[in-house]
Amino acid sequence: MKFVARAFWISLICLIVEILICGVIAGTAEYTGHKYQADFFIQLGINLGVFFTLLSMVMGIAWVIMKMTMRRV
């Protein structure tokens, strides 16, 4: 159960860090006039954001289910 809880928090931290990094890189590329790189990193940020959001949701649901079943035992 601790593994699932740790994986949940790690995936949330990765989501926040990923949004910050891709946002900074895309913003810098847009500011310097590199449209292709800006679009690439915006799309990469969206794709990774969706992945880490779904991963966090799955881990959160698993954590809640494990907490509920452990209380009954």
Side-chain angles (χ1 to χ4, degrees):
M1 186 163 144
K2 288 183 180 181
F3 173 76
V4 176
R6 287 182 184 143
F8 171 72
W9 291 112
I10 289 171
S11 64
L12 281 179
I13 291 169
C14 288
L15 175 65
I16 293 168
V17 169
E18 175 268 328
I19 289 171
L20 290 174
I21 290 173
C22 285
V24 168
I25 293 173
T28 304
E30 187 73 37
Y31 180 75
T32 57
H34 296 96
K35 183 72 175 153
Y36 175 76
Q37 285 85 1
D39 290 341
F40 173 76
F41 281 105
I42 288 171
Q43 190 62 41
L44 180 67
I46 291 170
N47 290 340
L48 288 175
V50 168
F51 170 74
F52 282 119
T53 301
L54 291 175
L55 182 67
S56 298
M57 288 171 54
V58 168
M59 289 296 171
I61 291 169
W63 186 21
V64 168
I65 290 172
M66 289 177 75
K67 275 187 129 176
M68 290 173 63
T69 57
M70 291 295 186
R71 287 184 182 167
R72 292 182 186 163
V73 174

